[in-house]
Amino acid sequence: MAKGTIWTVLGVIASIIIAIILVQALFSVMWFLFKVAVVAVVALVVFFVLRSVFRRRES
């Protein structure tokens, strides 16, 4: 096996490993942002429900 072929194979393996790590990190960040967005929507709904409940009691 030629020396250039070995470096090519090692380069391909390294690029695959780096790509897997980057994709995994990207999906982790995307999942975290999705959870934050869901929490924000639920908090907004709860806020408006509580506000309307307390507004009715005061009137």
Side-chain angles (χ1 to χ4, degrees):
M1 205 182 243
K3 196 172 188 177
T5 306
I6 293 173
W7 283 112
T8 301
V9 170
L10 290 176
V12 168
I13 292 171
S15 64
I16 290 172
I17 291 171
I18 291 170
I20 289 171
I21 292 169
L22 288 176
V23 168
Q24 197 169 19
L26 179 67
F27 279 128
S28 294
V29 169
M30 287 172 54
W31 177 242
F32 176 74
L33 292 176
F34 175 73
K35 287 194 296 188
V36 167
V38 170
V39 167
V41 169
V42 170
L44 201 59
V45 169
V46 169
F47 171 75
F48 284 118
V49 167
L50 289 175
R51 194 169 93 169
S52 69
V53 166
F54 287 122
R55 189 176 279 171
R56 283 189 215 149
R57 287 186 182 174
E58 291 175 0
S59 305

